[in-house]
Amino acid sequence: TRTQQDYYQCEKKPIAYFREFDCHRMEPRHISEYLNHRLEESKRRANLELTWFKNVFTNACGQGLFRGTNPTTDIMPFRQSREERKATRLRKRYVSDADYKAMYTVVPITGKVAMEIAYCTGLRPGDVLSLRREHIQADLLDIEENKTGHEYSKVISPRLHKALVMARDLPGQPFGGWIVRNRHGNKYTAQGWQANWKTW
């Protein structure tokens, strides 16, 4: 969902920029000029918008809506310089065991369940919130990743089993089937979960 929202944001500036332009005359140089302009603001945003352009033209060519060859085929994403990569690495800070324990002690049971499931499975927050009771099969947890569409099963370790048992005591009636649920028994929205996490 977050990735989809990012791409919805990506369409605004290109559409405004090319509003009066006949897109059937679009050439790689037009897109490159636009992206160089966007590069002045943000390399990440320019790369996201390049992906948006590629998706649009790939679909348009595939459906016969664009005459000619795909103008995005040979346009490469912008790479970070060595200095930029080094600065990014320095900004990264991985969660230590002490950080994890500190957070675990202050969150309510809902946060504890979600943290342990995420830790034991490596799932993204959105995928943890999408887990349902029917995904638990004997000693396996069936998983479908929203972002990639990959489906697989994880063996339920003793630590994960403890978290799933703890989930039964969460507030809210479990009739909806969500493993991690809000006080009404419903699935958390991404915004609702993020708000709670920031508060904790």
Side-chain angles (χ1 to χ4, degrees):
T1 303
R2 184 181 161 200
T3 305
Q4 288 173 337
Q5 288 169 349
D6 271 349
Y7 285 124
Y8 284 131
Q9 292 301 315
C10 285
E11 72 184 17
K12 293 180 179 176
K13 293 204 174 183
I15 287 174
Y17 184 90
F18 289 107
R19 186 169 299 283
E20 304 300 324
F21 192 86
D22 178 4
C23 290
H24 288 290
R25 293 176 38 240
M26 188 78 74
E27 296 176 12
R29 64 187 174 91
H30 299 123
I31 297 171
S32 293
E33 285 169 10
Y34 168 78
L35 292 173
N36 286 331
H37 163 73
R38 291 292 285 137
L39 194 58
E40 295 171 11
E41 294 179 35
S42 167
K43 188 173 286 186
R44 179 181 177 272
R45 188 51 61 179
N47 281 334
L48 279 173
E49 289 177 7
L50 172 59
T51 302
W52 178 83
F53 273 112
K54 285 179 180 285
N55 290 338
V56 167
F57 280 102
T58 298
N59 285 317
C61 290
Q63 296 178 30
L65 300 173
F66 182 76
R67 300 186 293 270
T69 56
N70 187 335
T72 64
T73 302
D74 296 325
I75 302 177
M76 300 300 291
F78 299 102
R79 301 287 180 214
Q80 287 186 322
S81 67
R82 181 174 291 168
E83 292 76 24
E84 288 171 323
R85 287 197 302 272
K86 186 176 179 181
T88 301
R89 280 197 303 271
L90 291 173
R91 279 197 307 271
K92 278 185 180 176
R93 180 178 170 281
Y94 293 101
V95 176
S96 68
D97 289 347
D99 292 332
Y100 188 93
K101 288 174 186 171
M103 187 69 179
Y104 191 82
T105 59
V106 298
V107 297
I109 186 172
T110 308
K112 287 177 169 55
V113 168
M115 284 178 69
E116 286 293 275
I117 291 173
Y119 183 87
C120 293
T121 62
L123 287 174
R124 297 175 180 88
D127 292 326
V128 172
L129 299 179
S130 296
L131 288 174
R132 298 177 57 80
R133 297 228 62 93
E134 59 261 29
H135 294 146
I136 304 170
Q137 306 291 335
D139 59 345
L140 297 173
L141 182 63
D142 292 333
I143 292 166
E144 181 180 355
E145 291 185 342
N146 289 321
K147 186 169 184 175
T148 63
H150 293 157
E151 294 182 26
Y152 52 91
S153 297
K154 289 258 184 186
V155 173
I156 298 177
S157 65
R159 184 170 176 175
L160 179 55
H161 180 264
K162 185 177 173 185
L164 295 172
V165 169
M166 198 168 32
R168 296 176 190 160
D169 297 328
L170 292 182
Q173 293 296 325
F175 303 131
W178 304 106
I179 293 176
V180 178
R181 56 187 178 273
N182 64 23
R183 66 179 183 275
H184 303 295
N186 300 321
K187 180 184 179 182
Y188 272 98
T189 63
Q191 294 83 1
W193 181 259
Q194 197 170 42
N196 279 349
W197 189 259
K198 284 181 179 177
T199 302
W200 298 334

